[in-house]
Amino acid sequence: MSKLDSKIPEGSLDQKWTKYRSTIPLVNPANKRSLEVIVVGSGLAGASAAASLAEMGYQVKVFCFQDSARRAHSIAAQGGINAAKNYQNDGDSIYRLFYDTVKGGDYRAREANVHRLAEVSGNIIDQCVAQGVPLAREYGGLLSNRSFGGTQVQRTFYAAGQTGQQLLLGAYSALQRQVGTGMVTMLARHEMLELVTIDGKARGIIARNLITGELEKHFGHAVLICSGGYGNVFYLSTNAMGSNATAAWKAHKKGAFFANPCYTQIHPTCIPVSGDHQSKLTLMSESLRNDGRIWVPKKKEDVEAIRAGKLNPNQIKPEDRDYYLERRYPAFGNLVPRDVASRAAKERCDAGYGVNKTGQAVYLDFAHNMKYKYGKMEATKKGIQNPTEAQLEALGMDVIKEKYGNLFDMYEQITGVNPYKNPMQIYPAVHYTMGGLWVDYNLMTTIPGLYALGEANFSDHGANRLGASALMQGLADGYFVIPYTIGVYLSTEVTRMSNEKDKADSIDKVKTKHPEFDKELAEVKARIDKFLTIKGTQSVESFHKRLGKIMWDKCGMARNKQHLTEAIKEIQDLRAEFWKDVRVLGTADEFNPDLEKAGRVADFLELGELMCKDALHREESCGGHFREEHQTEEGEAKRDDVNFAYVAAWEFKGESNFELHKEELKYENIKIAARSYK
Amino acid sequence: MGSGNEQFLNLTLKVWRQKNSKTAGTFETHQLTGISTDMSFLEMFDVLNEKLIHEGKDPIAFDHDCREGICGMCSMFINGRPHGPKQGITTCQLHMRSFKNGDTIIVEPWRSAAFPVIKDLSVDRTAFDRIISSGGYVSVNTGNAQDANNILIPKSAADEAFAAAACIGCGACVATCKNGSAMLFVSAKVSQLALLPQGQAERKERVLNMIAQMDAEGFGNCTNTGACEAECPKGISIENIARMNREFIGASLTTPNK
Amino acid sequence: MSKGFFKSSIGKKVIMGLTGLFLVSFLVVHVGINSLIYANDNGETFNAGAHFMAHNPLIRVMEIVLFAGLILHAVQAIILTMENKKARPVAYAMTNGAANSSWYSRSMALLGILLLMFLVVHLGNFWVPTKQALMANEEHNTFENLKVVFSQWYFVVIYLIGVFALCYHLLHGFQSAFQSLGLNHKKYTPTIKKIGIWFSIIVCLLFASMPVTMFLGIIK
């Protein structure tokens, strides 16, 4: 039977967390002061966890590779954060948020975790507002909401198109406050390069000071991996350039299971690729789908004319446009979940209806709502009777500007096209990874003392994440889950410490002087030296690009057995080539961004293989994982609940060798059903 | 995709090279050919670095991360201006269509005593973090909050606070200020919290401590030229600086000596 | 006032602003008295004004305060400028200040130095003779003094340069003082800025007109 114990508490679903929380062993304040916690990553999960734990009295060290904790990529989240506040009186509830999230995740998430997430969602909003996060308000002074994909209520809180920024800066300020008090030691421009385990427990990390190149040993009674997702395996994604899987992957290789690596979210509304020089992709917030209608021309000849630059899309008559989401999914229309919207775009483009030169773009068009929704509304407000089309457009444009101004500006910066006058061109791009380190209900991985929070773990989104839920999960884990659940483990550490207090060689006394730290440090050093001594002919960047292409072509929006089998082989070959022919210049004892990248790409080259293996083994289509062999006649995903209603947790056994462990998913409160948005 | 009228440029690039904070730097000239106007400025640097690596030369170090204008990590001083010739954007959002064939482009790091150069175009901006640590927060521990709708905040106050909170901490204000002053950055945070009811309890202490830390970091003094506001990629207004002056004068007048 | 206020960057700016506005108020008086020459009555009205200014005890006290204010303004400016230089030890190879700010807002120190140099000449021309006469207990004919000085073209040029420096110093300084004192408000700042501009232009045009009209013999 499985080695996996998810430690889900007994009791009814809505009582599990409340009851469990009040029975978790406590650590008394005096003992907290002698317990050290390492937090890797300073995004929403990391910063909120570090701040909260420091407030409680633990000694915390935070590591991030950027120059400041405030740069973490949570900052780029645009649209919003969900919370079951029911401020809009539209029938929202904790249960509904829970239900939407499980359904949105295509019934591949753990009920208990998701319900807990929904329960604490309201507290997150309260906490952020108390920190001075300026969320959007109505004229009466109350908080404002908008709707997001996959839901039929308005539960998304936002701050213009910069919600992630505002929430992160809130968590960052809480973190910096603790830095000021001395409870948190902030180590920016530091990268975790190895996890140190002693007697099977996480005991610290080896980190590289990125400025001096010095390798450092850091001890902790617990280590929290809050380093985000691994979308950059695909090279082109909406992730930041530095986003990487190294911390999580090192933990995996030290024994932490990696769950559902094949679940990657392809976001439907990104700015299409412009050329070979492309270094990253930019998201246009899902909130745009509130007011933008997605379409391609119905007629092939119109497509041809557009591609040739002979036809402007505005000239195409409404009856010649295929609003394919509204056509296929009348109930949710343009607000279907991300995976559904992405596949639908791919389907149209594969059928030859893509509207740019590469054939990989569809329109996101605001003209209709600009004129006939907002324009009319404003005209009525202003008492203009029988407004002209031009008047409607001008009035509506002001509203659109107010709502999405920064996104429209960003679009114009990147493409050089004015989106107020022309429909936006969009195409799906890798955005988020639902998979991650396997964690139990306490967010602890299979290594005692090692935790994973936020996007770095796998727990709450199943096979597909709903919009505005990533911010919710990151902050839930950091502010409201880990501060309690870490006590389960650390209280046992307290007992151990008091038993060992007379032992001269107890880990609490020797800390980083333990020989295991030196051994790991030597291995990290050897690996770095290896990069520098290969002196091959190809740049790190070029390997990353090639890996990304394999992943996107064969393990992207649609997958099949043949492609995945080929991809595994290709990745293995590419990895071998990398270790023979990569060229990394400079030295180890200086600021060397290319050397940093070499380490990250080396890890992507291993993780990519596991993703393909996971995708190959999962003989069903669910959420972000679409196997071409498993679809209905209309091209909808076909899940297999009999054989695949489990979490696939992979154990590292050596190069290219992973053992599968299964955690069965039981649905006791939700009736598992085919996901329909029709 | 792009603008649909992609062109290719030949450019001369003069880039600041500096090994580390202890050594002096110098300019290095590079010729680039066939740079697409659809490329971002940083993608042009990627192309150059790829070329340098191919030639066995040390690639140019520069800070960047999100490449969508929000993380605040990118920081180049391009042809005499932070984040280059266009207003309201960061370097990563600057595209090569803003340049002409045959242009010479001079790229320098942010220059400030408080932002020592780490290498080439990378600088150390941790002074900003220390300023935030000195008071740029509301002291509310996790779990202490009341319901978010209990305190009404007028939309105008929320919007104004948001406009100040939009600061990305990139340091362009310091970089462009002829005095190397950090007043715009500090005032953005002071204003955000002064405008909201949640920031009231620590209002006086906050501004006094943050100014003390700002001064200790070695930033220059504001002479109200307004360059910071003009160059800020997020359009933070110098009204915030006036507000901070007001807050500081008020707090100084009414806070007893310790 | 909390300790260290005057040592803080904002405290120093507040002093600059307050002393600046004080000096502005002096300019109002100065330009007012000087404009009496436009009575064009062979200096009778003007000399009466000058006499009042030289002998009124309150004005004599204010004169000392004025010098103190001027010195404070100048010394503080020197300190600030030195600090600002230290804040950027390595200069940019290329700056394009014109893209984001006005040249005179960036040149306050230079304009200030010009003004100081001008003041030396100016005091030598008028203040010193007045004081000498006062000490000798003689009546000083300031108007004659004016006529003699402004009959020499190079003094006219020097005065025009001085007024030019003053004008641009004021154009930035006037509204900048309000900003430093925290007096910026969406409703009032545009008016303050307008007043600043008109003040600078009117005061400086008046000052500039005096040497010119006297040199040309329009004022006799």
Side-chain angles (χ1 to χ4, degrees):
Chain A
M1 192 39 214
S2 169
K3 287 189 198 173
L4 299 169
D5 178 5
S6 55
K7 302 211 174 77
I8 294 168
E10 293 300 313
S12 69
L13 185 67
D14 57 344
Q15 286 301 309
K16 279 186 203 287
W17 176 236
T18 318
K19 274 197 186 149
Y20 182 63
R21 206 174 48 175
S22 46
T23 56
I24 289 173
L26 299 174
V27 178
N28 87 41
N31 286 330
K32 280 187 187 129
R33 276 195 290 278
S34 55
L35 288 167
E36 296 170 48
V37 179
I38 284 176
V39 178
V40 182
S42 65
L44 285 178
S48 61
S52 304
L53 293 172
E55 285 162 10
M56 294 164 76
Y58 295 108
Q59 292 288 334
V60 182
K61 274 186 186 171
V62 179
F63 295 80
C64 71
F65 69 83
Q66 299 94 335
D67 70 337
S68 160
R70 67 181 294 151
R71 313 272 187 231
H73 199 53
S74 307
I75 204 146
Q78 296 168 351
I81 176 165
N82 289 330
K85 282 280 199 186
N86 194 28
Y87 282 161
Q88 304 307 324
N89 196 28
D90 55 2
D92 199 9
S93 65
I94 288 171
Y95 183 82
R96 231 181 251 280
L97 174 54
F98 155 73
Y99 177 83
D100 285 347
T101 308
V102 171
K103 178 185 171 195
D106 219 353
Y107 305 96
R108 289 293 174 264
R110 244 187 232 150
E111 275 193 339
N113 283 53
V114 177
H115 198 272
R116 175 176 67 187
L117 177 67
E119 281 175 66
V120 302
S121 65
N123 303 39
I124 297 171
I125 302 302
D126 299 341
Q127 182 65 26
C128 295
V129 166
Q131 286 170 343
V133 172
L135 293 173
R137 300 262 165 184
E138 303 291 352
Y139 283 100
L142 295 163
L143 286 159
S144 176
N145 289 118
R146 53 166 68 139
S147 36
F148 253 63
T151 66
Q152 287 169 319
V153 293
Q154 290 198 320
R155 65 159 75 97
T156 305
F157 295 79
Y158 63 98
Q162 287 152 257
T163 318
Q165 180 201 25
Q166 293 308 316
L167 295 176
L168 181 66
L169 293 182
Y172 160 77
S173 68
L175 173 65
Q176 290 302 131
R177 174 175 158 236
Q178 295 305 319
V179 171
T181 65
M183 293 303 288
V184 170
T185 308
M186 184 70 220
L187 294 133
R189 291 202 197 260
H190 275 68
E191 184 167 21
M192 168 183 163
L193 290 180
E194 194 53 272
L195 176 75
V196 180
T197 56
I198 297 170
D199 301 329
K201 289 177 177 176
R203 285 298 181 207
I205 63 169
I206 304 295
R208 181 167 179 265
N209 177 330
L210 300 181
I211 298 176
T212 63
E214 198 183 332
L215 294 176
E216 300 170 359
K217 302 178 280 186
H218 293 276
F219 170 82
H221 291 93
V223 176
L224 275 51
I225 305 286
C226 312
S227 56
Y230 48 91
N232 268 348
V233 169
F234 290 87
Y235 184 74
L236 286 181
S237 79
T238 65
N239 285 8
M241 300 300 287
S243 298
N244 66 82
T246 290
W249 193 249
K250 298 301 182 198
H252 172 60
K253 290 175 82 171
K254 273 280 179 307
F257 293 2
F258 209 106
N260 300 333
C262 78
Y263 291 162
T264 46
Q265 178 161 82
I266 316 281
H267 196 291
T269 53
C270 298
I271 300 176
V273 174
S274 73
D276 286 340
H277 53 258
Q278 194 89 28
S279 60
K280 80 151 266 158
L281 295 169
T282 302
L283 176 76
M284 290 283 105
S285 166
E286 178 161 326
S287 61
L288 292 174
R289 283 200 273 145
N290 273 308
D291 288 314
R293 298 177 68 195
I294 296 177
W295 64 277
V296 292
K298 267 185 193 159
K299 298 182 193 156
K300 277 267 171 72
E301 60 261 35
D302 286 348
V303 174
E304 298 303 326
I306 287 170
R307 287 188 192 170
K310 288 179 198 149
L311 182 67
N312 183 308
N314 289 322
Q315 296 165 326
I316 298 180
K317 291 194 205 97
E319 59 270 25
D320 291 334
R321 300 177 179 194
D322 179 11
Y323 293 95
Y324 57 84
L325 286 177
E326 297 168 28
R327 168 170 60 80
R328 284 177 66 176
Y329 309 100
F332 281 70
N334 292 296
L335 282 174
V336 290
R338 293 174 174 177
D339 55 334
V340 178
S342 291
R343 271 197 303 279
K346 183 182 188 316
E347 188 275 327
R348 282 293 82 191
C349 290
D350 287 353
Y353 292 94
V355 292
N356 71 354
K357 274 184 204 147
T358 63
Q360 301 207 317
V362 299
Y363 289 126
L364 176 62
D365 198 339
F366 297 86
H368 185 269
N369 282 333
M370 187 148 49
K371 280 188 200 163
Y372 305 117
K373 182 173 163 193
Y374 295 115
K376 268 195 184 155
M377 218 189 272
E378 289 298 298
T380 314
K381 263 193 219 167
K382 293 197 162 78
I384 303 171
Q385 284 172 7
N386 304 321
T388 63
E389 290 279 306
Q391 266 179 319
L392 285 177
E393 190 179 326
L395 289 167
M397 197 182 291
D398 288 342
V399 181
I400 294 282
K401 228 174 227 167
E402 152 109 29
K403 287 183 98 135
Y404 310 112
N406 65 326
L407 296 169
F408 275 55
D409 291 347
M410 190 149 82
Y411 182 87
E412 185 164 4
Q413 279 309 328
I414 292 171
T415 63
V417 176
N418 178 354
Y420 291 104
K421 297 279 173 196
N422 304 285
M424 283 185 181
Q425 288 187 10
I426 51 154
Y427 197 69
V430 176
H431 178 58
Y432 186 89
T433 50
M434 281 72 68
L437 293 176
W438 183 90
V439 291
D440 62 17
Y441 192 70
N442 296 323
L443 304 181
M444 190 153 92
T445 66
T446 46
I447 299 175
L450 180 74
Y451 292 81
L453 280 67
E455 193 181 347
N457 74 28
F458 86 104
S459 71
D460 296 347
H461 306 297
N464 174 54
R465 177 176 66 75
L466 289 182
S469 283
L471 302 184
M472 173 172 67
Q473 187 224 339
L475 290 179
D477 287 359
Y479 282 135
F480 296 109
V481 179
I482 196 74
Y484 295 98
T485 59
I486 202 169
V488 177
Y489 174 75
L490 288 181
S491 60
T492 65
E493 280 288 285
V494 172
T495 318
R496 182 193 56 75
M497 283 162 81
S498 69
N499 291 342
E500 289 181 5
K501 72 175 179 288
D502 298 327
K503 276 173 70 181
D505 64 343
S506 93
I507 185 68
D508 315 290
K509 291 204 181 97
V510 299
K511 294 191 177 168
T512 57
K513 290 191 198 82
H514 192 284
E516 198 61 24
F517 275 91
D518 292 322
K519 192 184 131 235
E520 296 293 358
L521 189 137
E523 275 176 25
V524 171
K525 189 174 178 310
R527 185 173 159 97
I528 287 173
D529 290 344
K530 172 85 176 151
F531 287 130
L532 292 165
T533 48
I534 295 170
K535 295 189 192 299
T537 61
Q538 302 176 64
S539 70
V540 175
E541 193 75 6
S542 66
F543 280 104
H544 192 187
K545 263 189 192 182
R546 283 164 68 191
L547 172 66
K549 186 157 169 43
I550 298 172
M551 295 299 295
W552 181 244
D553 288 346
K554 299 187 171 168
C555 192
M557 263 188 286
R559 303 149 174 190
N560 62 50
K561 188 175 181 180
Q562 187 200 340
H563 277 165
L564 289 167
T565 315
E566 286 166 8
I568 291 165
K569 176 78 175 64
E570 285 169 29
I571 293 168
Q572 287 169 347
D573 293 347
L574 187 66
R575 193 164 64 228
E577 192 180 332
F578 174 88
W579 285 105
K580 250 188 262 152
D581 196 34
V582 73
R583 173 181 287 188
V584 184
L585 300 170
T587 61
D589 57 356
E590 62 173 345
F591 185 59
N592 191 342
D594 213 39
L595 176 63
E596 295 163 26
K597 173 130 200 189
R600 295 169 195 162
V601 171
D603 292 333
F604 286 148
L605 281 164
E606 296 177 15
L607 171 56
E609 180 182 346
L610 178 61
M611 288 165 71
C612 293
K613 284 187 165 163
D614 186 45
L616 182 63
H617 113 280
R618 190 166 281 278
E619 289 279 357
E620 63 162 350
S621 293
C622 62
H625 170 66
F626 187 79
R627 282 287 298 266
E628 286 167 350
E629 300 93 328
H630 304 284
Q631 54 181 317
T632 64
E633 273 166 25
E634 301 104 57
E636 302 295 338
K638 220 160 93 187
R639 233 176 38 226
D640 179 353
D641 294 326
V642 177
N643 295 306
F644 288 96
Y646 62 79
V647 175
W650 299 87
E651 183 181 6
F652 182 78
K653 291 280 190 186
E655 192 180 336
S656 291
N657 185 4
F658 305 92
E659 187 186 329
L660 175 66
H661 302 270
K662 297 177 184 176
E663 180 201 337
E664 299 300 329
L665 290 168
K666 291 187 207 83
Y667 290 90
E668 291 160 351
N669 298 277
I670 282 184
K671 200 171 156 293
I672 194 161
R675 200 170 54 138
S676 169
Y677 292 94
K678 288 193 187 269
Chain B
M1 185 200 60
S3 55
N5 40 18
E6 186 181 15
Q7 285 165 16
F8 296 91
L9 311 175
N10 297 332
L11 301 163
T12 305
L13 210 59
K14 288 187 177 172
V15 188
W16 185 259
R17 302 303 304 262
Q18 183 171 339
K19 192 156 175 50
N20 53 43
S21 59
K22 291 175 196 87
T23 53
T26 175
F27 281 99
E28 198 175 84
T29 306
H30 297 279
Q31 304 295 334
L32 286 170
T33 52
I35 297 297
S36 162
T37 48
D38 280 343
M39 263 184 214
S40 73
F41 198 78
L42 295 184
E43 283 165 351
M44 184 258 297
F45 264 78
D46 293 342
V47 170
L48 174 57
N49 273 348
E50 206 50 31
K51 184 174 152 228
L52 289 174
I53 292 168
H54 194 69
E55 291 165 1
K57 293 177 190 152
D58 197 19
I60 300 159
F62 60 94
D63 277 327
H64 64 109
D65 200 23
C66 78
R67 293 206 180 186
E68 48 188 277
I70 194 73
C71 76
M73 189 111 169
C74 59
S75 58
M76 294 179 185
F77 206 76
I78 302 160
N79 283 346
R81 297 181 67 185
H83 298 304
K86 296 195 84 175
Q87 291 197 328
I89 56 166
T90 54
T91 299
C92 63
Q93 293 174 291
L94 177 66
H95 277 64
M96 296 313 291
R97 66 181 77 92
S98 297
F99 296 89
K100 290 195 303 290
N101 193 29
D103 276 359
T104 296
I105 306 173
I106 298 176
V107 188
E108 302 177 66
W110 285 176
R111 297 196 191 277
S112 159
F115 292 167
V117 170
I118 291 171
K119 187 181 177 185
D120 299 339
L121 303 170
S122 276
V123 298
D124 178 354
R125 285 168 288 194
T126 46
F128 274 6
D129 294 324
R130 288 189 291 274
I131 293 173
I132 297 296
S133 276
S134 71
Y137 47 75
V138 174
S139 295
V140 51
N141 282 1
T142 303
N144 279 350
Q146 56 177 326
D147 187 90
N149 258 347
N150 271 6
I151 302 175
L152 297 181
I153 304 177
K155 186 173 188 305
S156 57
D159 288 351
E160 214 177 336
F162 171 77
C167 168
I168 56 173
C170 65
C173 46
V174 175
T176 198
C177 175
K178 75 175 191 64
N179 311 316
S181 164
M183 290 282 274
L184 192 66
F185 168 79
V186 183
S187 70
K189 187 51 73 181
V190 167
S191 286
Q192 177 203 340
L193 298 176
L195 284 161
L196 295 170
Q198 287 82 6
Q200 299 310 307
E202 297 161 286
R203 191 168 174 175
K204 290 181 187 176
E205 220 177 313
R206 173 179 307 118
V207 68
L208 294 176
N209 290 340
M210 288 180 78
I211 293 294
Q213 187 63 37
M214 175 185 87
D215 289 348
E217 294 289 349
F219 291 104
N221 305 286
C222 174
T223 58
N224 305 323
T225 65
C228 52
E229 171 185 69
E231 298 291 14
C232 173
K234 296 293 152 190
I236 309 285
S237 164
I238 55 169
E239 277 175 44
N240 293 307
I241 294 182
R243 184 179 291 105
M244 179 165 74
N245 290 340
R246 208 154 62 224
E247 294 281 319
F248 184 76
I249 295 167
S252 296
L253 281 171
T254 54
T255 305
N257 289 325
K258 278 177 194 154
Chain C
M1 191 64 52
S2 67
K3 261 190 212 164
F5 175 78
F6 294 108
K7 281 190 198 151
S8 72
S9 53
I10 295 181
K12 287 178 204 153
K13 292 299 303 170
V14 166
I15 292 175
M16 289 303 285
L18 286 175
T19 52
L21 286 180
F22 173 63
L23 295 173
V24 161
S25 72
F26 159 73
L27 283 177
V28 176
V29 177
H30 190 3
V31 83
I33 301 278
N34 281 27
S35 298
L36 296 176
I37 64 165
Y38 290 112
N40 216 352
D41 53 0
N42 200 16
E44 212 169 294
T45 322
F46 173 75
N47 271 341
H51 180 85
F52 172 79
M53 292 304 285
H55 291 86
N56 184 299
L58 184 68
I59 303 286
R60 301 284 299 278
V61 174
M62 281 312 289
E63 193 176 7
I64 298 166
V65 179
L66 177 66
F67 272 105
L70 182 69
I71 291 166
L72 192 55
H73 194 77
V75 169
Q76 195 73 270
I78 293 166
I79 295 172
L80 285 167
T81 309
M82 282 177 1
E83 283 180 359
N84 292 345
K85 287 267 173 276
K86 242 177 40 192
R88 178 159 298 136
V90 182
Y92 286 110
M94 181 181 180
T95 52
N96 184 0
N100 54 41
S101 51
S102 60
W103 69 268
Y104 49 90
S105 74
R106 284 174 278 126
S107 314
M108 290 298 274
L110 180 73
L111 293 167
I113 291 167
L114 272 179
L115 278 172
L116 267 183
M117 283 165 34
F118 165 75
L119 265 184
V120 173
V121 177
H122 183 47
L123 291 176
N125 283 343
F126 300 108
W127 186 76
V128 173
T130 313
K131 290 288 146 182
Q132 279 170 342
L134 203 64
M135 285 212 266
N137 221 355
E138 288 164 10
E139 189 57 33
H140 180 67
N141 189 336
T142 314
F143 189 70
E144 272 312 307
N145 194 172
L146 272 178
K147 273 165 70 172
V148 174
V149 172
F150 292 145
S151 65
Q152 299 159 83
W153 68 266
Y154 49 87
F155 275 122
V156 174
V157 172
I158 289 172
Y159 274 69
L160 287 180
I161 294 172
V163 169
F164 170 84
L166 177 67
C167 183
Y168 281 100
H169 201 77
L170 280 175
L171 268 180
H172 177 66
F174 191 95
Q175 54 93 13
S176 173
F178 286 90
Q179 169 83 2
S180 290
L181 294 169
L183 304 172
N184 183 326
H185 191 282
K186 278 197 177 67
K187 191 163 176 182
Y188 303 108
T189 296
T191 316
I192 292 173
K193 283 191 174 168
K194 264 183 215 145
I195 293 173
I197 292 168
W198 284 110
F199 178 86
S200 313
I201 293 172
I202 292 168
V203 166
C204 293
L205 276 179
L206 278 171
F207 275 135
S209 68
M210 293 165 194
V212 174
T213 49
M214 294 195 86
F215 181 75
L216 296 176
I218 298 167
I219 299 294
K220 292 188 199 100

